Amino acid sequence: MCRFVDFDRSKNKFCGNEKTGERFYCIPRAYSPAASWLFHNNGDGTFKDVSQESGISKAMGKAWGVVATDINNDGWMDLFVANDTIPNFLFVNKHNGKFEDAALEAGVAYSQNGRERSGMVADSADFDQDGWQGLFVTNVDQEM
């Protein structure tokens, strides 16, 4: 379960014209990133929060989209997280209840220009039916 930013009413910031008091939408950089959650299905209608022991909560993101897919074709679900204004995450399943971020090594953390992107949606499919999953991410390119 992805989270966007660390926000509640007490952390609301003023973004806008200070002279007129007119408020504008705050860009994502105005707020701190937040840890996403991972829940294990217990098979009985309940879920256990395994965010910390899996390593997912160590990565602070501004997530808009997440997709579970077997990106390395090893039979285990991996997780791709599309972040806004910070590098994307690619959590590779280590087969022991833990995940490791391999986005940088896989070339999906940054744009081809080495910049953070504004990832909004993520999906995965075996588009050429060769047994390997590909990632599809909708990004909003912007100067950072």
Side-chain angles (χ1 to χ4, degrees):
M1 187 176 295
C2 58
R3 291 178 58 206
F4 182 51
V5 293
D6 182 20
F7 178 82
D8 62 40
R9 288 188 80 126
S10 70
K11 296 176 184 175
N12 192 16
K13 296 182 181 186
F14 179 82
C15 297
N17 185 326
E18 299 217 5
K19 289 181 182 177
T20 65
E22 184 180 8
R23 295 183 71 99
F24 304 133
Y25 171 77
C26 292
I27 61 171
R29 291 202 189 281
Y31 293 99
S32 300
S36 292
W37 296 302
L38 181 64
F39 295 93
H40 177 79
N41 186 338
N42 294 322
D44 61 2
T46 65
F47 293 83
K48 178 184 177 194
D49 184 348
V50 294
S51 306
Q52 286 195 334
E53 56 261 40
S54 68
I56 297 292
S57 67
K58 291 179 189 170
M60 302 302 279
K62 293 183 180 182
W64 277 111
V66 61
V67 63
T69 184
D70 183 7
I71 200 66
N72 56 6
N73 213 24
D74 65 356
W76 293 78
M77 285 290 112
D78 307 301
L79 302 168
F80 176 80
V81 179
N83 283 310
D84 189 6
T85 69
I86 65 167
N88 294 321
F89 304 139
L90 177 59
F91 295 114
V92 176
N93 193 323
K94 303 309 289 180
H95 310 182
N96 60 0
K98 299 190 182 308
F99 290 80
E100 181 177 278
D101 185 10
L104 189 59
E105 296 85 358
V108 296
Y110 298 94
S111 73
Q112 63 186 4
N113 298 325
R115 294 188 175 134
E116 296 95 348
R117 303 186 79 177
S118 293
M120 299 290 135
V121 177
D123 201 358
S124 174
D126 180 2
F127 69 94
D128 60 2
Q129 298 183 9
D130 67 353
W132 290 87
Q133 298 291 315
L135 287 174
F136 302 92
V137 181
T138 300
N139 293 294
V140 176
D141 288 322
Q142 57 185 322
E143 283 296 316
M144 302 287 169

